[in-house]
Amino acid sequence: MNVPAQSLKRRIAMLAVIGVIVLASAGPVMAADDGDGVKTSEYFNWYWLIAPIGSVLALFFAWRFYKEVERANPGDEKMQEIAQHVTDGALAYLKRQYKVVAVFFLVVMASLALMAYLGVQHWIVPIAFLTGGFFSGLCGWLGMKTATLASNRTAQGAKEGLNRGLIVAFRAGAVMGLVVVGFGLLDISIWYVMLTQVFPLLGVHMSLVEVTVIMLTFGMGASSQALFARVGGGIYTKAADVGADLVGKVEAGIPEDDPRNPATIADNVGDNVGDVAGMGADLYESYCGSILATCALGVAAAMSMIGLSQSDKIGIAVKMLTAPMALAGIGILLSIIGIYLVRCKDNATMKQLMGALGKGVNGSSVLVIGAAAGVCYLLLGGETMADNGIIWWRIWLSIVSGLVAGFVIGKSTEYYTSYDYKPTRGIAEASETGHATVIISGLAEGMKSTWAALLTVIIAIIAAYSFAGGFQSMPLGLYGVGIAAVGMLSTLGITLATDAYGPIADNAGGNAEMTGQDPEVRKRTDALDSLGNTTAAIGKGFAIGSAALTALALLAAYVEEIRIGQDREGTQAYSIRYEDPKAEEKVEVFGQVFNIGNAKISTKFKGDKHATPMMIMDVDKAFIKQFDKGLCEGAVVTPVDVERGHYNISLAYQCGSDPAVTKTFPAVAVSKATLTDYMRFYEVYLMNPKVLCGMFAGVLLVFLFTALTMQAVGRAANAMVIEVRRQFKEIPGIMEGTGTPDYARCVAISTAGAQKEMIIPSMLALTVPIAVGLLLDVGGVMGLLAGGLTCGFAMAVFMANSGGAWDNAKKYIETGALGGKGSDNHKATVTGDTVGDPFKDTSGPSLNILIKLMSMVSVVFAGLIVKYAPIIGDLLGIN
């Protein structure tokens, strides 16, 4: 097999060098002014170095495990030949997919550049967007290359013993896990240093709030790439799988991995591009999104504290920002330790195999709990933090709640999808009465299984919010929810390894079947494959659970981007419309007040360097519209509580010969507005039609997206079924083993189908949040994100668990139960598995990307919504 290991080594070495440069450049010698008298050196905390060191460590061990897999025995010539077919097909698909994605990224970058030109977005965002997508795609590419390298080596390892096959497959999966956490944390570290240390030297100054929000926007690039990878890869793999199952197994009566089955190579290719590259891109954006959202929430919480100097606030903010990054860095080290704990006996049962993987995952999680206590004590301990409501051991309990939630969701998924337990065996037993009852039973078990994940997330959110002090301080509670998501994903290096292991074991089984290995080898690969089905289902449950917590954190972080958008708009409006620079000398309290739409104003106080954008609360909109027409008689700003940013604003206007009308409204400075202030200003309450309609739009998007991806699989699978039937009919000698199927044709059909079908669902996910925001304003977007999160989470759990249970019900019968392979019972469960394929591998896992992508798109386009939604609302008469 010709895999450019040196190229991989050079890339990782190059990025390691970048990491060293990051460390060298991160010292506090840089002392540019951020514009408010605070030195950018104060944005740095030495504990932060754990993050880039952890990222470089992850990349080093990824390379080391890659070399271990590469040195493993590749098997005989036939095993290598089959593996090369799969490798060629997977690389060809990813190349075509990346070409399509590249066009999309260019279009979006141009849109973001236009937004920057219009002044509603920072000019750095288009570049940040590109880096997020690039690293996400690179992780998928490297993971997929390693997985294809490992399939025949795992099959050969199974010839030598069950433990050897497990180690080869798991170490290959670990490459995927470690490049995801390594590149993710490296990308975050580089951007943090660039924005806080390098850019100020070039004259680009930003507040720490703006730094964290800009960093958050590169998650949109990662989410976009992940969606294309998941949807496209899912369509590819399931089109091939359905064709192989329906025609090969049911109609022709041969195994799906039989070399006579024309779709078998395409099926094995699909396992890699969908379940390895797709899952890697998915969890890359979850990992980065959770860390970045928590950083933004921590900074926002610190900046909202009362009675502290700006320097003290920044000191607390940097510690709260550093905590999730340091936790992620330590999690990498502990994941590596867990990877080395995975091994088994050669005669291990399925339960013992699960125990072998559980030892690694659970061992890492227990170690992380202890390490998290140390991180919280060192960074969030002390009297100053406690005096401001930050209790280190309570933040630690929030982290523990995330870890426990991940464990519980994984166990509940295992219970509902493994054939060792009653639910999946019940689906298999339903095959006694035919295909329809298998479908009914699988749907019912999938729906029922959602209670465990939903209840777990409910408890985890309440616990994380409460432990962090949310019922006393909402910003701290939201920070607790965010860091709970980081805790859940802190061991992603090993958790993702268990997920990527599944398709590698599946491909190894296919390789053994197609090359005619001894029945004992196939028995071992079947055991590894069955374990892989369960671990893949657990991985999907884990990804969905982390998506729920991450999306909630992003929902709160969205408000911070609204703050930045309002501040940017207010400052620009003032600089454009302020005509009398001496006005502040005429009025004791303020210089000028300008209305800039939707009750947002900008004022300049005497002695201030900059304009102070404000929001007018409880506004009389008719009055404000008159004021905005330029019939201004006067405006007076009266301080109420300057430290909290509270003022009274008296506005007066005169129409014709009528007496002047004056009204007074409460106002809040945008820089000091709380989340509650924003909910009040944008009227985010349940009975607001904009919010309610936004929630319905979120539910609508989930169902429409699911339907489109299911239909896409159906159309692509239809083409595959027709092609496989044609080959059985027209190519002589296939069934006798004397004719060679046209594998390449089936690969081409899956590739073309996936490329065509992934575009509309993906574009829908990207455009709906923008359209809803422009029509229904911020309240509508909040409703959209809430509706999409709650509905999408439940739907994703249902589909993933139903699909996993149907698959393992089939596997259970293939062990010899209920008539075994070829029986009517087996055929009925094959139908269930065919229905479950797009459930668990296309639509279900794509939904957890959807709910995060909606949040990311909303964050990136928040400035556009702030500026233009009020204008559109006025035109439509819905303001």
Side-chain angles (χ1 to χ4, degrees):
M1 180 176 290
N2 183 24
V3 178
Q6 293 303 316
S7 175
L8 176 66
K9 183 177 178 180
R10 282 195 299 271
R11 290 175 188 173
I12 294 177
M14 179 185 70
L15 286 159
V17 170
I18 293 174
V20 173
I21 294 172
V22 168
L23 301 185
S25 67
V29 295
M30 302 177 181
D33 194 319
D34 74 347
D36 291 314
V38 177
K39 305 300 182 182
T40 55
S41 59
E42 295 186 36
Y43 289 176
F44 180 78
N45 183 294
W46 283 108
Y47 290 108
W48 170 83
L49 291 175
I50 296 171
I53 290 172
S55 69
V56 173
L57 190 67
L59 296 176
F60 169 76
F61 274 93
W63 169 77
R64 180 169 180 172
F65 290 145
Y66 178 88
K67 297 299 292 183
E68 281 188 30
V69 173
E70 186 183 44
R71 286 194 297 266
N73 188 340
D76 58 42
E77 185 176 340
K78 184 66 174 174
M79 295 169 77
Q80 294 181 56
E81 178 187 345
I82 294 298
Q84 189 63 49
H85 283 306
V86 176
T87 300
D88 292 343
L91 291 176
Y93 171 76
L94 282 188
K95 286 178 181 177
R96 285 191 60 175
Q97 176 177 287
Y98 289 165
K99 287 179 181 178
V100 174
V101 173
V103 173
F104 163 79
F105 268 72
L106 289 175
V107 172
V108 174
M109 279 190 68
S111 302
L112 295 175
L114 176 62
M115 288 173 58
Y117 175 77
L118 294 173
V120 296
Q121 188 55 272
H122 200 286
W123 64 268
I124 297 172
V125 170
I127 304 170
F129 167 78
L130 183 62
T131 64
F134 171 77
F135 278 110
S136 176
L138 182 61
C139 289
W141 180 275
L142 294 176
M144 186 275 302
K145 284 174 69 69
T146 308
T148 55
L149 178 74
S151 61
N152 54 308
R153 287 166 169 79
T154 300
Q156 175 62 31
K159 289 177 69 174
E160 300 168 15
L162 186 62
N163 181 56
R164 180 60 184 161
L166 174 66
I167 288 177
V168 172
F170 191 71
R171 294 287 166 85
V175 174
M176 177 81 262
L178 291 175
V179 296
V180 163
V181 296
F183 284 132
L185 210 48
L186 184 64
D187 196 11
I188 292 171
S189 300
I190 291 173
W191 270 112
Y192 182 60
V193 168
M194 292 293 291
L195 293 176
T196 63
Q197 304 293 311
V198 179
F199 279 25
L201 296 180
L202 303 176
V204 181
H205 303 290
M206 288 171 278
S207 69
L208 198 55
V209 172
E210 192 168 10
V211 166
T212 54
V213 172
I214 287 175
M215 288 173 63
L216 186 61
T217 59
F218 89 66
M220 179 181 163
S223 296
S224 301
Q225 161 61 28
L227 188 66
F228 279 108
R230 252 307 181 193
V231 174
I235 293 169
Y236 184 109
T237 184
K238 293 307 107 181
D241 205 358
V242 169
D245 280 355
L246 286 184
V247 185
K249 280 186 177 180
V250 177
E251 295 181 10
I254 59 176
E256 64 179 297
D257 293 320
D258 194 294
R260 295 171 294 176
N261 194 329
T264 189
I265 294 294
D267 186 14
N268 287 325
V269 170
D271 289 337
N272 290 287
V273 299
D275 293 337
V276 178
M279 177 60 87
D282 177 358
L283 284 171
Y284 176 91
E285 57 108 15
S286 279
Y287 185 72
C288 292
S290 66
I291 295 171
L292 293 169
T294 306
C295 290
L297 292 173
V299 171
M303 293 305 184
S304 68
M305 292 175 179
I306 305 298
L308 296 175
S309 68
Q310 184 73 0
S311 181
D312 288 340
K313 288 181 180 180
I314 287 179
I316 293 174
V318 169
K319 289 182 177 181
M320 296 182 75
L321 179 153
T322 302
M325 297 174 69
L327 180 62
I330 291 175
I332 288 175
L333 172 62
L334 301 182
S335 293
I336 293 169
I337 293 173
I339 289 168
Y340 278 106
L341 293 177
V342 175
R343 56 187 64 250
C344 71
K345 298 178 181 178
D346 282 337
N347 59 348
T349 64
M350 179 60 65
K351 192 162 287 189
Q352 289 171 328
L353 283 172
M354 277 300 302
L357 291 185
K359 185 190 297 182
V361 175
N362 298 335
S364 295
S365 297
V366 170
L367 291 173
V368 163
I369 289 175
V375 168
C376 291
Y377 177 76
L378 292 172
L379 282 168
L380 306 177
E383 290 185 12
T384 301
M385 305 297 277
D387 289 344
N388 289 280
I390 304 169
I391 312 298
W392 72 266
W393 59 267
R394 299 189 67 168
I395 301 293
W396 173 70
L397 287 176
S398 293
I399 295 171
V400 172
S401 68
L403 279 163
V404 171
F407 176 80
V408 172
I409 290 174
K411 282 297 181 184
S412 69
T413 305
E414 179 187 348
Y415 174 76
Y416 279 103
T417 59
S418 172
Y419 63 61
D420 286 333
Y421 301 101
K422 184 178 178 181
T424 298
R425 291 198 177 194
I427 295 171
E429 290 163 3
S431 65
E432 295 279 6
T433 50
H435 300 243
T437 48
V438 169
I439 301 298
I440 293 169
S441 180
L443 288 172
E445 287 295 347
M447 291 177 181
K448 186 168 68 175
S449 71
T450 60
W451 77 267
L454 286 167
L455 183 59
T456 299
V457 166
I458 290 169
I459 294 173
I461 289 172
I462 291 293
Y465 186 87
S466 176
F467 285 140
F471 291 104
Q472 289 75 44
S473 169
M474 182 182 290
L476 287 179
L478 293 172
Y479 180 77
V481 173
I483 207 165
V486 176
M488 185 184 285
L489 289 167
S490 59
T491 57
L492 183 62
I494 187 171
T495 307
L496 183 53
T498 63
D499 193 285
Y501 152 86
I504 294 170
D506 190 3
N507 269 217
N511 190 288
E513 181 74 35
M514 295 183 73
T515 55
Q517 300 299 317
D518 290 339
E520 181 62 25
V521 176
R522 182 61 184 175
K523 180 180 177 182
R524 291 171 181 166
T525 59
D526 279 347
L528 295 175
D529 185 19
S530 295
L531 175 63
N533 280 332
T534 300
T535 59
I538 292 172
K540 290 181 179 71
F542 184 83
I544 293 166
S546 66
L549 294 182
T550 301
L552 182 59
L554 288 171
L555 182 60
Y558 169 65
V559 175
E560 291 307 309
E561 181 61 39
I562 293 295
R563 186 195 307 276
I564 297 295
Q566 286 190 339
D567 188 69
R568 185 184 295 118
E569 185 189 3
T571 303
Q572 288 174 347
Y574 186 85
S575 65
I576 292 170
R577 300 179 63 179
Y578 182 46
E579 298 172 354
D580 184 2
K582 296 182 180 179
E584 65 181 39
E585 298 176 4
K586 299 177 183 179
V587 182
E588 181 67 25
V589 182
F590 74 101
Q592 280 277 25
V593 174
F594 296 111
N595 181 42
I596 56 175
N598 200 29
K600 295 184 293 291
I601 68 163
S602 184
T603 185
K604 186 174 181 183
F605 291 93
K606 186 176 181 179
D608 282 359
K609 296 179 181 179
H610 309 292
T612 303
M614 292 186 183
M615 298 184 296
I616 306 176
M617 300 295 185
D618 306 325
V619 70
D620 181 338
K621 292 183 179 179
F623 183 89
I624 286 293
K625 286 179 181 178
Q626 290 296 322
F627 184 83
D628 197 32
K629 289 178 181 178
L631 303 175
C632 176
E633 178 66 22
V636 178
V637 179
T638 305
V640 175
D641 186 343
V642 175
E643 193 169 15
R644 288 179 170 83
H646 293 172
Y647 301 85
N648 282 333
I649 294 186
S650 298
L651 302 178
Y653 79 89
Q654 186 171 22
C655 184
S657 59
D658 295 339
V661 179
T662 302
K663 289 192 177 183
T664 301
F665 305 99
V668 180
V670 165
S671 61
K672 297 184 178 181
T674 65
L675 187 62
T676 303
D677 291 329
Y678 276 102
M679 300 302 100
R680 177 182 169 190
F681 178 73
Y682 283 107
E683 300 177 341
V684 183
Y685 49 82
L686 195 58
M687 294 311 296
N688 181 349
K690 290 185 178 182
V691 177
L692 194 58
C693 290
M695 294 177 69
F696 278 119
V699 175
L700 181 153
L701 180 57
V702 167
F703 275 87
L704 185 57
F705 178 85
T706 302
L708 289 173
T709 51
M710 291 284 287
Q711 287 180 332
V713 171
R715 285 190 291 268
N718 182 64
M720 183 66 71
V721 166
I722 292 172
E723 173 60 22
V724 174
R725 285 174 176 167
R726 182 194 69 79
Q727 291 197 32
F728 277 131
K729 182 178 180 182
E730 297 180 7
I731 298 178
I734 285 185
M735 293 300 295
E736 292 76 22
T738 57
T740 302
D742 187 354
Y743 301 126
R745 176 62 183 160
C746 292
V747 169
I749 287 174
S750 266
T751 300
Q755 296 297 315
K756 177 183 177 183
E757 299 286 357
M758 74 179 181
I759 294 174
I760 292 178
S762 300
M763 294 307 297
L764 188 69
L766 291 160
T767 55
V768 167
I770 301 172
V772 169
L774 290 173
L775 289 173
L776 302 179
D777 210 337
V778 172
V781 174
M782 297 290 282
L784 173 82
L785 299 182
L789 170 59
T790 51
C791 177
F793 176 71
M795 179 76 84
V797 172
F798 154 61
M799 299 189 85
N801 287 354
S802 284
W806 273 318
D807 192 356
N808 279 333
K810 177 196 70 176
K811 287 283 195 300
Y812 176 60
I813 289 180
E814 288 175 349
T815 63
L818 300 172
K821 290 183 179 180
S823 65
D824 287 341
N825 295 56
H826 183 231
K827 291 179 180 179
T829 54
V830 168
T831 300
D833 181 35
T834 304
V835 175
D837 276 338
F839 266 51
K840 68 182 175 67
D841 291 326
T842 307
S843 299
S846 296
L847 282 171
N848 55 332
I849 303 176
L850 175 70
I851 61 180
K852 289 172 291 185
L853 181 59
M854 288 192 299
S855 300
M856 285 295 185
V857 171
S858 300
V859 167
V860 171
F861 286 88
L864 189 75
I865 306 305
V866 166
K867 186 165 186 175
Y868 292 107
I871 298 173
I872 294 173
D874 284 339
L875 291 174
L876 297 176
I878 57 174
N879 272 347

